[in-house]
């Protein structure tokens, strides 16, 4: 669920929560709790151990299922799905719901029984479970299916022509996307869509036949089978998939992204739990500034009202069932449940054409302590109610789309037409729907283009290639210049990449590439992150062309040009550690036993390793240079013990580090430090909570091992262990976003990007003589985009952080090399241009710990 504490009436009373009987006592909805901005647990603390439990199995990225063999055909497309082995430990069984292993058999049966149902596998989860997509529509011949494909492509590629074609919307089957169970322990969305699929498959009602003649309904049955089976919110890698959409680090998200690209839904529904009464989007401010919001709100709000009516028609009441009436945040709340960041499924879908998209939070909690402590019969009563409500929301949504079939398709066409024409963003008129006021108006200014330069102007061709490939994977159009050109008063070399903002999905291009906005003055509370920028955080140089003509002889990019190289000649080679792929290349070489040295932010390999260097240069797209000498501190493969959050563990392993998860409990149980070079601490490890034996073993390690920390847990560890002389100061707990930074000349930041990411930011004061400031928050107001207010007492704001040390390093009196991060360089696997800072910290700490301490 996405439950902000600022929303009123989101939970039942204490009497209801403690009741185990089938019929609840009459209760009233409680008042909203106050929002606490104090120093709570580090973010992702709940998921800190998930990566430790996860399987090492990695699944392939989601792929375009329409391009697989056999898909150039009509409907139905009957595929026999492999049926997994029975798993009696599946967490859904206790709730009386369909276990994961029962889904494929049920879908196979429906395909046999109905010519309206087509089921296929769109990818695999982190733990290797199949992901099922079901298409429900009236039968189509191959020619009819091809015509639908042509119409869909015309809507995107020639929206102006599609808008003029009065027959087009009549012929087009409106696509609608339903997403079930993205949070694994919010189970009932899966069972609701299975129920609705069966209803549609077997109904003899002529209205159903008419509906399926005018629509294609796409059901992602369970978006998170790992979590469904285990009863966890996250997938097998410990990731909240509903935070990953503009990063797409997880295979489940890449599969969902591809479904949306390939189906181009006009509406989508994401099924969650648990908020009582049922929460139905649209949302409170701030509203995503890159949507065509006038088209969005005039579809999303009436659909929300229709979903509400369908739920109320079920007849559940607080007195009889413990079920409160639905709430629509846009109508019922002032703030706290926003659609600002495109990290959530319903906030990403509009950039792929949806003009109505919703999170639905059904009401009756069955996870967490309820799952553990409540009687099975009460859990099953609650789950049955949730399935009823989720199914009602699904039916209401496809009925809404059917009722305004022509208009909703025309609105999708208009979204793409505005983008392709390069029209200015439209300010939504006040009163466009009841309650839409000045507080709801958010807009942006679209530039003429973005340019990712080639040649000497580009600090990292490897980072540029990754960014370009990511844009293309999101269906953003990129061209590569065949000749030099001028734009925005600058000359760019051939090979530069251009994102012309006159394209149908300009909103998605802009939401990823613009710096963003500081919205701190406009709202007090945000649901999740408020700032992000691929242009500022992914390590590539991205120039904004604000206006003027654009004349580029270019070719469309399907994949970025190769970037790996090794210079001719003899002698040692250097690889600067400025990009995540350079880190992977270094770790690959070290794992092969290549003798390398660490020298001022670069890894130097001997001339005899040129063959290995060529291999990794080609594999990772990295560019070696001639080393000035082979001198440096010897470096071998870095062995890491990590008490970290799930996203950090995932990223460290993705970078190629050998990581052993640890925690207070693991160390107290007895831990062998002989296989560790560096300890990383950000979550789940308290020095003060270690027993005497564990503390003595850790202290012995600190005489020969390095330490890297992040956040409040890391700062507390530094102080308790007596490492660096530094006082950690906490900013406001929910502050987050992109910040300007100033880099020092140390071993960690070096030539790092001029921007960083923060969440619950920290800074360091009272620095001892052994401490080097690696990176500082910029003077003035460091926040570029996001939300960072001071605490009610005036402390913790960005003005207090301005100019203060954000990352520091040093050698303690024992000789341990220590790095403290007050920023979030690995946050949710997103700020890829910052990953090298952590890698450099590990390399430096491992290389110099134990060597003589010298004065800087």
């Amino acid at each position: 669920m996405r439950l902000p504490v600022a929303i009123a009436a989101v939970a039942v009373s204490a009497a209801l929560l403690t009741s185990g009987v089938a019929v609840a006592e009459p209760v009233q909805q409680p008042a909203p709790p106050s929002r606490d901005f104090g120093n709570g647990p580090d973010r992702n603390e709940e998921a800190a151990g998930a990566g430790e439990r996860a399987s090492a199995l990695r699944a392939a990225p989601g792929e375009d299922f329409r391009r697989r063999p056999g898909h150039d055909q009509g409907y139905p497309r009957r595929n026999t799905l492999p049926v997994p082995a029975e798993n009696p430990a599946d967490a859904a069984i206790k709730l009386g719901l369909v276990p994961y292993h029962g889904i494929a058999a049920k879908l196979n049966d429906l395909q046999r029984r109905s010519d309206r149902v087509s089921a296929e596998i769109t990818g695999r989860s982190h733990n290797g479970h199949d992901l099922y997509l079901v298409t429900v529509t009236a039968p189509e011949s191959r020619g009819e299916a091809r015509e639908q494909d042509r119409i869909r492509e015309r809507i995107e590629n020639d929206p102006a022509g599609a808008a003029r074609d009065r027959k087009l919307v009549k012929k087009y089957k409106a696509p609608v996307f339903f997403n079930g169970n993205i949070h694994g322990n919010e189970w009932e969305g899966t069972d609701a869509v299975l129920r609705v699929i069966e209803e549609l498959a077997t109904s003899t009602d002529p209205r159903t036949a008419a509906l399926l003649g005018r629509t294609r309904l796409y059901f992602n049955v369970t978006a998170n089978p790992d979590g469904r089976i285990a009863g966890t919110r996250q997938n097998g890698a410990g990731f909240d998939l509903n935070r990953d959409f503009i990063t797409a680090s997880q295979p489940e998200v890449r599969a969902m992204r591809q479904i949306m690209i390939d189906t181009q839904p006009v509406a989508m529904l994401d099924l969650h739990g648990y908020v009582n009464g049922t929460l139905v989007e649209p949302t409170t401010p701030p509203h995503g500034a890159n949507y065509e919001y006038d088209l969005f709100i005039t579809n999303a709000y009436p659909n929300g009202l229709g979903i509400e009516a369908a739920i109320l028609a079920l007849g559940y009441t607080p007195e009889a069932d413990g079920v409160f009436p639905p709430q629509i945040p846009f109508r019922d709340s002032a703030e706290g449940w926003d659609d600002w960041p495109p990290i959530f499924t319903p906030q990403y879908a509009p950039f792929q054409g949806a003009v109505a998209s919703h999170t639905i939070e059904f009401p009756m909690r069955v996870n967490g302590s309820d799952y553990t402590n409540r009687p099975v019969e009460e859990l099953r009563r609650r789950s049955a109610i949730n399935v009823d409500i989720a199914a009602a929301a699904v039916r209401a949504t496809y009925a809404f789309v059917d009722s305004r079939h022509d208009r909703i398709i025309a609105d999708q066409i208009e979204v793409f037409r505005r983008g392709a024409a390069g029209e200015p963003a439209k300010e939504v008129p006040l009163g466009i729907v009841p309650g839409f006021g000045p507080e709801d108006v958010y807009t942006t200014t679209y530039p003429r283009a973005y340019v990712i330069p080639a040649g000497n102007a580009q600090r990292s061709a490897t980072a540029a290639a990754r960014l370009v490939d990511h844009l293309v994977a999101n269906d953003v159009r990129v061209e590569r210049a065949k000749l030099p050109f001028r734009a925005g008063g600058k000359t760019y070399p051939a090979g530069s990449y251009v994102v012309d903002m006159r394209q149908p999905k300009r909103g998605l291009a802009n939401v990823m590439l613009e710096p963003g906005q500081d919205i701190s003055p406009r709202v007090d509370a945000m649901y999740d992150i408020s700032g992000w920028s691929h242009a500022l955080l992914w390590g590539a140089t991205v120039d904004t062309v604000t206006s003027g003509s654009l004349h580029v002889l270019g070719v469309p990019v399907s994949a970025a040009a190769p970037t790996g190289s090794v210079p001719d000649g003899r002698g040692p080679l250097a690889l600067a550690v400025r990009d995540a792929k350079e880190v992977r290349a270094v770790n690959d070489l070290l794992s092969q036993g290549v003798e390398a040295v660490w020298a001022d932010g670069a890894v130097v390999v001997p001339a005899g390793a040129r063959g290995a260097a060529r291999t990794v240069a080609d594999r990772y797209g990295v560019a070696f240079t001639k080393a000035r000498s082979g001198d440096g501190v010897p470096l071998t493969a870095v062995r890491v013990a990590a008490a970290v959050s799930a996203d950090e563990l995932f990223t460290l392993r993705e970078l190629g580090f050998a990581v052993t998860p640890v925690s207070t409990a693991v160390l107290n149980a007895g831990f062998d430090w002989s296989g560790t070079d560096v300890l990383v601490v950000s979550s789940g490890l308290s020095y003060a909570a270690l027993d005497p034996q564990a503390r003595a073993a850790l202290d012995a390690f600190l005489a020969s091992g390095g330490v890297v920390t992040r956040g409040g847990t890391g700062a507390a560890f530094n102080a308790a262990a007596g490492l660096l002389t530094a006082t950690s100061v906490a900013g406001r707990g929910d502050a987050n976003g992109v910040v300007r930074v100033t880099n020092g000349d140390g071993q960690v930041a070096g030539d790092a990007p001029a921007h960083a990411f923060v969440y619950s930011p920290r800074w360091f004061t009272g620095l001892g003589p052994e401490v080097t400031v690696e990176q500082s928050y910029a003077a003035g107001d460091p926040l570029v985009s996001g939300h960072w207010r001071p605490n009610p007492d005036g402390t913790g704001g960005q003005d207090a952080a301005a100019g203060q040390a954000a990352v520091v390093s040093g050698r303690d009196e024992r000789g341990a090399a220590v790095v403290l991060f007050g920023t979030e360089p690995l946050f949710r696997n997103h700020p890829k241009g910052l990953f090298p800072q952590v890698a450099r910290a590990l390399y430096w700490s491992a290389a110099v710990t134990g060597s003589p301490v010298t004065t800087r």
Side-chain angles (χ1 to χ4, degrees), residues 9 17 101 196 247 252 360 405 422 477 485 518 548 583 665 724 745:
L17 287 173
H101 59 259
V196 171
T247 305
E252 299 93 334
I360 304 298
H405 175 275
R477 300 178 182 187
F485 64 96
D518 177 356
V583 177
L724 298 186
D745 61 354

Side-chain angles (χ1 to χ4, degrees), residues 325-691:
Q327 55 186 310
I328 300 175
F330 173 80
R331 179 192 64 194
D332 300 331
S333 306
E335 62 177 41
W337 189 280
D338 56 87
D339 58 27
W340 184 253
I343 59 176
F344 311 114
T345 324
Q347 278 61 61
Y348 179 82
F351 298 118
Q352 297 295 348
V355 289
S357 60
H358 309 260
T359 289
I360 304 298
E361 301 273 358
F362 26 82
M364 305 301 285
R365 185 176 299 278
V366 296
N367 61 7
S369 60
D370 292 279
Y371 184 93
T372 303
N373 298 326
R374 290 192 179 276
V376 169
E377 59 270 22
E378 170 63 7
L379 291 173
R380 293 187 174 189
R381 181 190 77 86
R382 292 179 172 211
S383 284
I385 291 171
N386 289 334
V387 174
D388 286 348
I389 288 173
V394 171
R395 296 187 199 101
T397 297
Y398 66 61
F400 172 79
V401 171
D402 188 44
S403 71
R404 63 167 64 189
H405 175 275
D406 293 6
R407 174 180 169 180
I408 202 166
I409 294 170
D411 284 348
Q412 182 184 78
I413 294 170
E414 176 64 5
V415 169
F416 293 151
R417 189 203 64 78
R418 291 177 186 178
E423 293 183 357
K426 294 186 182 298
E427 186 169 302
V428 185
L430 303 183
I432 188 171
V433 297
F436 194 95
E439 72 281 0
D440 292 299
V441 177
Y442 287 81
T443 189
T444 192
T445 301
Y446 294 109
R448 180 63 186 84
Y450 291 100
V451 179
I452 303 172
N456 294 331
Q458 169 62 307
R459 69 178 301 275
S460 174
T462 305
R466 179 183 51 246
L467 178 57
V468 166
D469 285 339
H470 187 70
L471 291 168
V472 171
N474 281 274
D475 208 29
V476 171
R477 300 178 182 187
V478 184
E479 290 189 322
R480 191 163 189 257
K482 297 175 69 174
L483 298 172
F485 64 96
R486 284 187 62 80
K490 294 177 64 174
T491 299
Y492 293 96
S496 296
Y497 297 101
V498 180
V499 180
D500 187 339
M501 290 298 287
R502 292 180 181 173
Q503 60 172 294
K505 296 182 181 178
R506 67 167 178 185
L508 183 54
N510 207 53
V511 82
M512 290 197 290
L513 295 177
E514 69 175 350
Q517 300 179 30
D518 177 356
I519 56 173
S520 307
R522 296 201 61 177
V523 292
D524 182 65
M526 294 286 293
Y527 180 71
D528 203 271
I529 65 166
S530 317
W532 61 91
S533 175
H534 294 68
L536 299 181
L537 296 178
W538 276 42
T541 299
V542 181
D543 292 344
T544 304
V545 179
T546 57
S547 60
S549 59
L550 188 68
H551 301 290
V552 180
L553 179 61
V555 294
V557 174
S558 59
T563 54
S565 64
V566 173
D568 294 332
R570 300 178 180 178
L573 298 169
L575 183 61
V577 181
R578 299 182 304 187
D579 186 82
K581 289 188 176 180
E582 290 159 349
V583 177
R584 294 182 66 187
V586 168
N587 285 337
D588 194 332
L589 291 171
L590 294 177
S591 69
Q592 298 177 47
V594 171
E595 295 182 357
V597 297
W598 176 255
D600 294 326
V603 173
V604 178
V605 298
R610 277 182 171 267
R614 289 191 185 93
T615 299
V616 299
D618 180 65
R619 179 176 298 156
Y620 301 109
V622 299
F624 287 82
T625 61
K626 294 181 179 179
R628 287 178 295 205
S629 75
D631 298 335
V633 182
L635 180 66
T636 57
V638 180
R639 302 165 299 175
V640 178
V644 295
S645 57
D647 54 341
E648 292 170 316
L649 178 61
F650 177 89
T651 303
L652 288 169
R653 286 175 167 169
E654 183 182 60
L655 291 172
F657 290 102
V659 185
T660 301
V662 296
S663 64
T664 304
V666 168
L667 298 192
N668 281 339
F671 183 72
D672 181 4
W673 287 99
S674 63
T676 300
D677 300 307
V678 182
L679 170 65
V680 182
V681 180
S682 69
S683 182
L685 176 56
S686 168
Y687 185 88
L690 295 175
D691 62 34

Side-chain angles (χ1 to χ4, degrees), residues 19 39 46 175 180 188 194 400 407 413 419 422 488 543 612 661 746 761-762 847:
S19 170
N39 296 324
E46 177 185 336
E188 292 93 342
L194 288 171
F400 172 79
R407 174 180 169 180
I413 294 170
D543 292 344
R762 288 183 174 265

